[in-house]
Amino acid sequence: FRSFQLMIFGAFVNLFILFVFWKDPIERQYADRSDVALESFAVDLQGAITNVEEFNVHEGGRGIQFLTERGRIDIEYRNQVIRQRIDGLGHVPFITEVYTILFSFDGMRLSVDITMLDGTRRERVFAVGYNSN
């Protein structure tokens, strides 16, 4: 009977070791998802602000508004989400689980500082391109 107990105990130890080795890559994969969301946001934002007629930071740095041929676009922070609206319509989410965001603009460059709920902080700088018309 003891050999049976040792065999069961050995099986549980092996399963525990496999779980420990499996857990680390899974946690890294979930951490990478927030990085992917941030990079996707960066690509979308840079594409949106390359040909603007007007550009403004508003809401104390928690949002931006710019005018393009698509209309007046707002990108703003609401309820832990960075979202986009066009001409006051729609709520397209870019990134969720955001703790804070701060936009700052010096006339040509837009700086964005994002802190996620998990404490991850990212800073990016974007070039704002004005329409020459």
Side-chain angles (χ1 to χ4, degrees):
F1 187 69
R2 284 195 183 259
S3 62
F4 179 71
Q5 288 176 332
L6 286 174
M7 189 173 66
I8 296 296
F9 178 73
F12 279 120
V13 168
N14 284 329
L15 288 174
F16 180 75
I17 290 170
L18 286 173
F19 174 76
V20 169
F21 284 113
W22 170 79
K23 181 180 157 249
D24 187 48
I26 296 300
E27 286 179 343
R28 274 198 310 260
Q29 180 180 0
Y30 282 114
D32 291 346
R33 284 188 179 186
S34 67
D35 289 340
V36 169
L38 289 167
E39 289 305 314
S40 178
F41 169 69
V43 169
D44 290 343
L45 180 58
Q46 185 61 70
I49 62 174
T50 56
N51 193 17
V52 301
E53 295 174 28
E54 298 174 15
F55 191 92
N56 297 298
V57 174
H58 61 89
E59 297 183 24
R62 292 175 41 153
I64 57 175
Q65 185 179 77
F66 50 97
L67 182 63
T68 70
E69 62 186 25
R70 292 179 59 201
R72 185 161 307 278
I73 299 174
D74 288 285
I75 297 178
E76 56 197 6
Y77 171 78
R78 291 277 191 273
N79 301 322
Q80 301 175 348
V81 176
I82 299 172
R83 67 180 187 180
Q84 172 183 287
R85 294 183 309 137
I86 299 175
D87 291 328
L89 302 173
H91 300 280
V92 178
F94 278 125
I95 305 175
T96 60
E97 299 183 19
V98 176
Y99 181 67
T100 62
I101 187 166
L102 181 63
F103 293 100
S104 57
F105 183 56
D106 70 4
M108 294 302 290
R109 293 179 306 175
L110 172 68
S111 298
V112 181
D113 186 354
I114 300 173
T115 304
M116 305 300 289
L117 288 176
D118 66 3
T120 305
R121 186 170 175 227
R122 298 285 189 268
E123 295 178 68
R124 296 295 293 265
V125 177
F126 302 92
V128 176
Y130 287 95
N131 186 344
S132 58
N133 291 335

